[in-house]
Amino acid sequence: MAIQTATGTAQCPECLADVTLTKVMQNEITQCPGCGAELEIVSLEPLTLALAPQEEEDWGE
């Protein structure tokens, strides 16, 4: 099974800047060069970004 990747631009949901992406995979985390927000690639076609979920503390429960 081949891994799907995509290349193109998408809009940052935080600052609306265009973000250039090269060979990215779905669910990959990237950073907006404009505002520094952590972004998750939620779709490859079309390339769509969302704010990455915040990691919660793991208390070993």
Side-chain angles (χ1 to χ4, degrees):
M1 182 173 165
I3 297 174
Q4 288 188 322
T5 61
T7 298
T9 59
Q11 192 173 54
C12 172
E14 184 74 13
C15 71
L16 306 179
D18 286 333
V19 180
T20 301
L21 303 164
T22 304
K23 294 184 178 179
V24 292
M25 296 183 294
Q26 190 161 353
N27 301 323
E28 188 175 328
I29 302 294
T30 188
Q31 190 170 30
C32 175
C35 67
E38 287 194 353
L39 305 171
E40 179 178 7
I41 290 113
V42 293
S43 172
L44 295 179
E45 291 186 34
L47 269 171
T48 307
L49 299 170
L51 291 174
Q54 297 289 325
E55 289 187 32
E56 296 180 18
E57 300 243 359
D58 181 7
W59 299 97
E61 296 177 11

